[in-house]
Amino acid sequence: MRLLLDTHVLLWAAGANAMLPAAFRGAIEDAGNDVLFSSASIWEIAIKQGQGRPDFHVDPHVLRQRLLENGYGELPINGEHALAVARLPLLHKDPFDRILVAQAIVEGVRLLSVDQMVLQYPGLMTI
C-alpha cells in the first residue's frame, strides 16, 4: 500500500509524537508499505518554521534528509497535481492541504490525516 502523510502526521511520525494514531504508526512501520511525503509538506514546514510557529519547530532541511535516509519517498508536485486542485470542491481553503489531497487522488495513494475537513474530500482514500 502507498501512503502519503499529511504534514502534521509527518511531523508526528518523525518526532515519535504520542499524537500519532496507533493505526497510522503501524501502517508507517509496515515494511510492505511505501511511505511518501510531499514536497508541499516540506514547503509548508519551511514557511511556518520561518514564521516562528511553535508547532513547526523543526529544521526542514534536516527533516527532509532524515526522511530520505529512513526510506521515505518524496512526492514532488507536478502539473497534473496542480490542475487537480481546480477540480476539488472548496471544502478547505488551506492550499497545502488542497495540494496534498490532489496528489493523493491523482497518484491513487492513501492519505494519512486526522484533519476532518481534509477527510471529507470525495475520491480520497484513507486508512
Side-chain angles (χ1 to χ4, degrees), residues 7-124:
T7 305
H8 59 276
V9 172
L10 176 65
L11 289 170
W12 293 342
N17 189 305
M19 299 280 295
L20 183 66
F24 289 6
R25 183 174 310 284
I28 291 167
E29 292 175 354
D30 183 335
N33 292 335
D34 292 324
V35 183
L36 306 170
F37 67 94
S38 173
S39 55
S41 290
I42 301 301
W43 178 28
E44 179 179 14
I45 292 165
I47 288 172
K48 292 179 179 176
Q49 189 267 341
Q51 294 171 338
R53 292 246 325 243
D55 52 337
F56 286 85
H57 188 67
V58 60
D59 182 328
H61 298 91
V62 172
L63 176 64
R64 180 179 178 271
Q65 186 61 40
R66 296 259 165 81
L67 291 168
L68 294 171
E69 288 170 357
N70 284 293
Y72 287 59
E74 185 171 11
L75 181 59
I77 299 169
N78 66 35
E80 189 176 358
H81 301 148
L83 292 170
V85 170
R87 295 190 300 269
L88 294 176
L90 192 57
L91 300 175
H92 204 308
K93 293 183 181 180
D94 184 310
F96 298 110
D97 287 333
R98 290 177 59 79
I99 195 68
L100 288 171
V101 168
Q103 285 184 296
I105 291 170
V106 168
E107 298 297 326
V109 301
R110 296 181 184 277
L111 181 64
L112 273 60
S113 179
V114 297
D115 184 329
Q116 293 305 306
M117 293 296 294
V118 166
L119 297 173
Q120 291 180 34
Y121 279 97
L124 188 63

